[in-house]
Short mmCIF file of all heavy atoms in Angstrom, two decimals:
data_model
loop_
_atom_site.label_atom_id
_atom_site.label_comp_id
_atom_site.label_asym_id
_atom_site.label_seq_id
_atom_site.Cartn_x
_atom_site.Cartn_y
_atom_site.Cartn_z
N SER A 267 86.42 -95.86 -105.88
CA SER A 267 85.80 -94.82 -105.13
C SER A 267 84.34 -95.11 -104.85
O SER A 267 83.87 -94.95 -103.77
CB SER A 267 85.93 -93.52 -105.92
OG SER A 267 85.23 -92.44 -105.16
N SER A 268 83.70 -95.73 -105.89
CA SER A 268 82.28 -96.08 -105.64
C SER A 268 82.12 -97.23 -104.72
O SER A 268 81.27 -97.20 -103.80
CB SER A 268 81.66 -96.54 -107.02
OG SER A 268 80.37 -96.98 -106.88
N VAL A 269 83.05 -98.28 -104.75
CA VAL A 269 83.07 -99.32 -103.80
C VAL A 269 83.36 -98.86 -102.41
O VAL A 269 82.66 -99.23 -101.45
CB VAL A 269 84.16 -100.40 -104.17
CG1 VAL A 269 84.28 -101.40 -103.11
CG2 VAL A 269 83.68 -101.05 -105.53
N ASN A 270 84.29 -97.91 -102.23
CA ASN A 270 84.57 -97.33 -100.93
C ASN A 270 83.44 -96.66 -100.27
O ASN A 270 83.17 -96.71 -99.13
CB ASN A 270 85.84 -96.44 -101.03
CG ASN A 270 87.17 -97.14 -101.32
OD1 ASN A 270 87.23 -98.33 -101.02
ND2 ASN A 270 88.10 -96.46 -101.88
N HIS A 271 82.74 -95.93 -101.25
CA HIS A 271 81.59 -95.18 -100.74
C HIS A 271 80.57 -96.09 -100.19
O HIS A 271 79.83 -95.85 -99.22
CB HIS A 271 81.01 -94.34 -101.83
CG HIS A 271 79.79 -93.51 -101.42
ND1 HIS A 271 79.85 -92.40 -100.61
CD2 HIS A 271 78.45 -93.65 -101.81
CE1 HIS A 271 78.67 -91.92 -100.41
NE2 HIS A 271 77.77 -92.63 -101.13
N SER A 272 80.28 -97.24 -100.97
CA SER A 272 79.28 -98.25 -100.58
C SER A 272 79.75 -98.95 -99.29
O SER A 272 78.83 -99.10 -98.37
CB SER A 272 79.18 -99.31 -101.61
OG SER A 272 78.69 -98.77 -102.84
N LEU A 273 81.00 -99.24 -99.13
CA LEU A 273 81.44 -99.83 -97.83
C LEU A 273 81.36 -98.87 -96.65
O LEU A 273 81.37 -99.36 -95.50
CB LEU A 273 82.98 -100.23 -98.02
CG LEU A 273 83.17 -101.50 -98.91
CD1 LEU A 273 84.64 -101.67 -99.14
CD2 LEU A 273 82.64 -102.73 -98.21
N SER A 274 81.27 -97.52 -96.92
CA SER A 274 81.14 -96.61 -95.81
C SER A 274 79.80 -96.72 -95.03
O SER A 274 79.51 -96.05 -94.12
CB SER A 274 81.47 -95.22 -96.20
OG SER A 274 80.49 -94.80 -97.15
N SER A 275 78.84 -97.36 -95.80
CA SER A 275 77.45 -97.45 -95.23
C SER A 275 77.48 -98.45 -94.00
O SER A 275 77.97 -99.51 -94.01
CB SER A 275 76.53 -97.94 -96.38
OG SER A 275 75.20 -98.18 -95.77
N TYR A 276 76.83 -98.00 -92.91
CA TYR A 276 76.77 -98.67 -91.66
C TYR A 276 75.77 -99.96 -91.70
O TYR A 276 76.09 -100.94 -90.98
CB TYR A 276 76.47 -97.81 -90.53
CG TYR A 276 77.54 -96.78 -90.25
CD1 TYR A 276 77.26 -95.39 -90.56
CD2 TYR A 276 78.74 -97.12 -89.71
CE1 TYR A 276 78.18 -94.45 -90.34
CE2 TYR A 276 79.72 -96.20 -89.47
CZ TYR A 276 79.44 -94.82 -89.81
OH TYR A 276 80.41 -93.87 -89.58
N ASP A 277 74.81 -99.82 -92.48
CA ASP A 277 73.77 -100.87 -92.51
C ASP A 277 73.95 -101.84 -93.66
O ASP A 277 72.91 -102.40 -94.10
CB ASP A 277 72.36 -100.21 -92.57
CG ASP A 277 72.20 -99.28 -93.77
OD1 ASP A 277 73.21 -99.04 -94.40
OD2 ASP A 277 71.08 -98.89 -94.02
N LEU A 278 75.17 -102.05 -94.21
CA LEU A 278 75.36 -102.87 -95.33
C LEU A 278 75.37 -104.40 -94.92
O LEU A 278 75.99 -104.71 -93.86
CB LEU A 278 76.74 -102.57 -95.92
CG LEU A 278 77.05 -103.12 -97.34
CD1 LEU A 278 76.13 -102.45 -98.34
CD2 LEU A 278 78.44 -102.85 -97.66
N PRO A 279 74.57 -105.20 -95.50
CA PRO A 279 74.48 -106.69 -95.15
C PRO A 279 75.86 -107.30 -95.23
O PRO A 279 76.70 -106.91 -96.09
CB PRO A 279 73.58 -107.29 -96.20
CG PRO A 279 72.75 -106.11 -96.62
CD PRO A 279 73.58 -104.95 -96.58
#
Side-chain angles (χ1 to χ4, degrees):
S267 176
S268 177
V269 169
N270 290 338
H271 181 73
S272 298
L273 284 170
S274 66
S275 176
Y276 294 108
D277 57 350
L278 196 66

